[in-house]
């Protein structure tokens, strides 16, 4: 079985400019995604980050059948992913499977990140603010509850468990991450630039 192609999409939001960068040798499906997926303006201005995973069913001929199942707690991000998926589906080619079996279910993972960059207007009181303590395990558990099919979330929780000495829990999460990774058709990262506050969620 061919190695799953991982692909990074960078969308730069500075003023009204939008730029997309493709990795060399990207599959046609990933090229289509890079040209169409955008970081929703409302989500970016409200510092919303997170994962959206689509579960799609492929028929015997290698084409999608039925509607995808969406795993995400962010409506704006989900809507953008579904909009982009619909465009790709219209021009679907069985070669998009990259050697994977037909008549199976697969995952398409989208991660929306924000890069803080430089603030346009600095808050003079910021240096006096006490940083909020974050329960990282609680944040990861909540993110996995909202999106139970994201390989990266299980990998991150596995790393956290390993760091605190919970080796068996760490192994379980690493195994789950590896299993889900094998079911991915694509993994897209969308980065928005220009937000100045801390993201509200994973």
């Amino acid at each position: 079985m061919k190695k799953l192609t991982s692909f990074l999409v960078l969308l730069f939001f500075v003023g009204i400019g939008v730029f997309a960068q493709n990795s060399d040798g990207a599959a046609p499906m990933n090229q289509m995604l890079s040209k169409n997926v955008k970081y929703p303006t409302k989500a970016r201005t409200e510092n919303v980050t997170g994962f959206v995973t689509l579960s799609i069913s492929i028929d015997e001929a290698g084409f999608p059948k039925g509607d995808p199942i969406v795993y995400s707690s962010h409506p704006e991000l989900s809507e953008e992913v579904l909009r982009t998926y619909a465009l790709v589906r219209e021009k679907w080619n069985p070669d998009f499977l990259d050697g994977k079996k037909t008549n199976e279910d697969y995952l398409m993972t989208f991660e929306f990140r924000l890069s803080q960059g430089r603030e346009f207007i600095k808050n003079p009181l910021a240096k006096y603010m006490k940083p909020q303590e974050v329960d990282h395990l609680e944040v990861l558990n909540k993110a996995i509850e909202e999106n139970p099919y994201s390989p990266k979330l299980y990998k991150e929780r596995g790393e956290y468990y390993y760091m605190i000495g919970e080796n068996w829990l760490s192994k379980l999460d690493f195994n789950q991450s590896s299993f889900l990774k094998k079911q991915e058709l694509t993994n897209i990262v969308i980065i928005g630039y220009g937000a100045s506050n801390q993201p509200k969620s994973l």
Side-chain angles (χ1 to χ4, degrees), residues 47-84:
N47 296 299
V48 174
T49 64
F51 292 83
V52 178
T53 299
L54 298 185
S55 174
I56 66 172
S57 295
I58 301 296
D59 64 20
E60 293 182 357
F63 290 91
K65 61 180 180 180
D67 294 326
I69 301 175
V70 184
Y71 297 96
S72 174
S73 63
H74 308 294
E76 296 88 359
L77 303 185
S78 298
E79 184 177 344
E80 173 60 18
V81 167
L82 287 172
R83 182 194 69 81
T84 306

Side-chain angles (χ1 to χ4, degrees), residues 184-200:
E184 280 188 332
L185 284 182
T186 191
N187 188 322
I188 305 296
V189 177
I190 306 99
I191 300 179
Y193 285 80
S196 60
N197 299 319
Q198 193 70 16
K200 293 182 178 179

